Structures are given as structure tokens and as C-alpha cells.
Amino acid sequence: MNAESTTTSTTTARMKNPAQVLPDAMKGIQAIYKAMYQGGVSPQILELVHLRASQINGCSACVFAGVTGAKKHGESDERLHAVAAWREAPFFTDEERAALALTEAATRIADRSGKAVSDEVWKEAADHFTEEQLSALILMISLTNFFNRINTTIEEPAGATW
């Protein structure tokens, strides 16, 4: 095994979270979170969306936070263990599946040729959610991807608190 393929586990981040270093950034983020949670989507679905995007992006800090947040909102271990394989698992509603499909499409935009979010995925989501709710979902997906990129860059460890 060469040095380039070796990974190390970190117990401390490379630096503080940039949103904490630049306080005005956190104010804006908090305002978006507040609006997002007022968008009419259940907190359980928002937490599933957060968890799935974080799994895709390999962000251990956000996966840990996502599981913790989902459990606070009543999620079962059974469902949380199945989020990565939600298509094959019988534990999710059609509404949750639409949100998870939208999450995957919007998170894996570089994996697509043509439209990042297909018309089929969009229609399914739009059949289950209002425009206000879709806005909340899109914001959750976007903010999760935002924090996944920050946390993987600074190597924020799982279990970190902000």
C-alpha cells in the first residue's frame, strides 16, 4: 500500500468550522435553517434527507449528526440502518421515497449527463410536496451538501458539536 492510498482517522479537525470563524456566515445559515423548518416538511423527512446526502458525500460528522437528529425526532434504528438502501427497504413511505430520490439526484449532480434532477424524479417529488415544502427540501439538500463539503475539507470528526 502506498502513502497516497493511506488514510488516517482524525480526532480533531484541521481548523474550526469556517461558519464559526466568520460569525456573519452562521447568522445567515441559522436564518435559512429557521425558514426551512417552517416550510411544512416533517422534521423526520428533513433528517432523512440530511442523512442520505451525508452518506453519499461520506461526511462522518454529518452522518453522526443526522442519526442523532433523526433519533431526537423519533426515528427508529431499523429505518436509520436502511436509509443507505432505501429503495430496497420496506420501511419508507412514498413521500419519503420521493424526498430521498430528490436528495440523491440533487446531491449527485456530477454523476448525470443532461439534467441533474430528471423530470421523473421532480414529478414524483412535486406529486407529494407543495412548492413551499419543495423549497424546504431543496434548502435542506443544499445546506447538507454545503456542510458536507466544509466538514470533509477540514476533516471534522464524527461526534463534533457546533
Side-chain angles (χ1 to χ4, degrees):
M1 184 192 299
N2 65 36
E4 291 177 346
S5 65
T6 303
T7 59
T8 58
S9 68
T10 58
T11 56
T12 59
R14 291 176 167 161
M15 65 177 274
K16 284 169 94 176
N17 188 300
Q20 291 175 319
V21 174
L22 303 172
D24 285 344
M26 189 54 82
K27 291 176 191 171
I29 293 164
Q30 288 171 338
I32 293 171
Y33 268 104
K34 181 180 177 184
M36 182 177 59
Y37 276 96
Q38 294 172 346
V41 177
S42 77
Q44 293 87 352
I45 290 177
L46 291 175
E47 293 295 341
L48 291 175
V49 162
H50 170 79
L51 178 57
R52 186 63 192 125
S54 298
Q55 289 172 334
I56 291 166
N57 290 323
C59 180
S60 66
C62 288
V63 167
F64 184 91
V67 168
T68 302
K71 283 185 159 201
K72 285 181 184 174
H73 290 288
E75 272 303 343
S76 68
D77 286 338
E78 183 177 56
R79 282 170 43 97
L80 291 173
H81 291 302
V83 170
W86 62 269
R87 282 183 176 83
E88 295 80 22
F91 311 122
F92 303 99
T93 67
D94 289 344
E95 182 182 50
E96 291 165 338
R97 290 176 184 284
L100 290 165
L102 181 62
T103 301
E104 289 190 1
T107 298
R108 295 183 169 176
I109 57 176
D111 296 348
R112 305 274 190 278
S113 60
K115 291 183 180 186
V117 177
S118 71
D119 291 340
E120 179 184 345
V121 167
W122 180 259
K123 182 183 178 326
E124 187 67 22
D127 285 348
H128 291 281
F129 299 100
T130 66
E131 187 169 330
E132 187 175 71
Q133 291 170 324
L134 284 168
S135 297
L137 286 170
I138 292 166
L139 286 172
M140 176 56 96
I141 295 164
S142 300
L143 279 175
T144 300
N145 279 281
F146 170 78
F147 274 114
N148 291 166
R149 279 146 181 80
I150 290 171
N151 290 331
T152 57
T153 300
I154 66 169
E155 296 183 348
E156 188 75 71
T161 56
W162 299 282

